[in-house]
């Protein structure tokens, strides 16, 4: 009789552990665990590392391209280019005559 109980206890143990696992999984789906503080901390550390790396990239880019932006701007021509001029030979048109000066009384 002792051997029969031992032989039957193994399937009973497997059945009980299977039922416990199924019930625990079902309960866990309805009651998820709160987020871990270690996960938040790891996310903050990753964000800080990303910001430091982004600052390095911007600093390197400014060091390489900064002189292009610091150069004085080229003077702007007042007359339009010859290709846009209305004169056939490419010459600039004469400016409009200035108004006459007012007469002075002696």
């Amino acid at each position: 009789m002792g051997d029969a109980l031992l032989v039957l206890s193994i399937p009973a143990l497997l059945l009980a552990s299977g039922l416990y696992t199924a019930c625990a999984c079902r309960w866990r789906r309805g009651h998820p665990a709160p987020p871990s503080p270690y996960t938040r901390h790891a996310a903050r550390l990753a964000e800080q590392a990303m910001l430091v790396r982004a600052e390095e990239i911007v600093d390197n880019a400014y060091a390489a391209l900064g002189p292009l932006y610091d150069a004085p701007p080229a003077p702007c021509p007042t007359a339009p280019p010859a290709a846009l001029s209305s004169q056939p030979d490419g010459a600039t048109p004469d400016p409009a005559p200035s108004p006459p000066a007012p007469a002075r009384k002696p």
Side-chain angles (χ1 to χ4, degrees), residues 8-24:
L8 291 177
S9 67
I10 293 173
L13 182 65
L14 290 175
L15 179 66
S17 65
L19 282 173
Y20 176 79
T21 304
C23 291

Side-chain angles (χ1 to χ4, degrees), residues 95-101:
S98 60

Side-chain angles (χ1 to χ4, degrees), residues 4 9-10 21 28 31 41 45 47 53 63 91-92 95 99:
S9 67
I10 293 173
T21 304
R28 218 5 101 192
H31 303 86
H41 183 65
L45 290 176
E47 181 181 353
R53 181 69 181 131
T92 58

Side-chain angles (χ1 to χ4, degrees), residues 34-80:
S36 173
Y38 299 111
T39 304
R40 289 184 193 153
H41 183 65
R44 273 190 242 119
L45 290 176
E47 181 181 353
Q48 289 174 355
M50 180 185 61
L51 287 175
V52 168
R53 181 69 181 131
E55 287 176 359
E56 289 174 1
I57 290 172
V58 169
D59 290 342
N60 291 340
Y62 183 75
L65 301 174
L68 294 175
Y69 294 107
D70 293 339
C76 180
T78 56

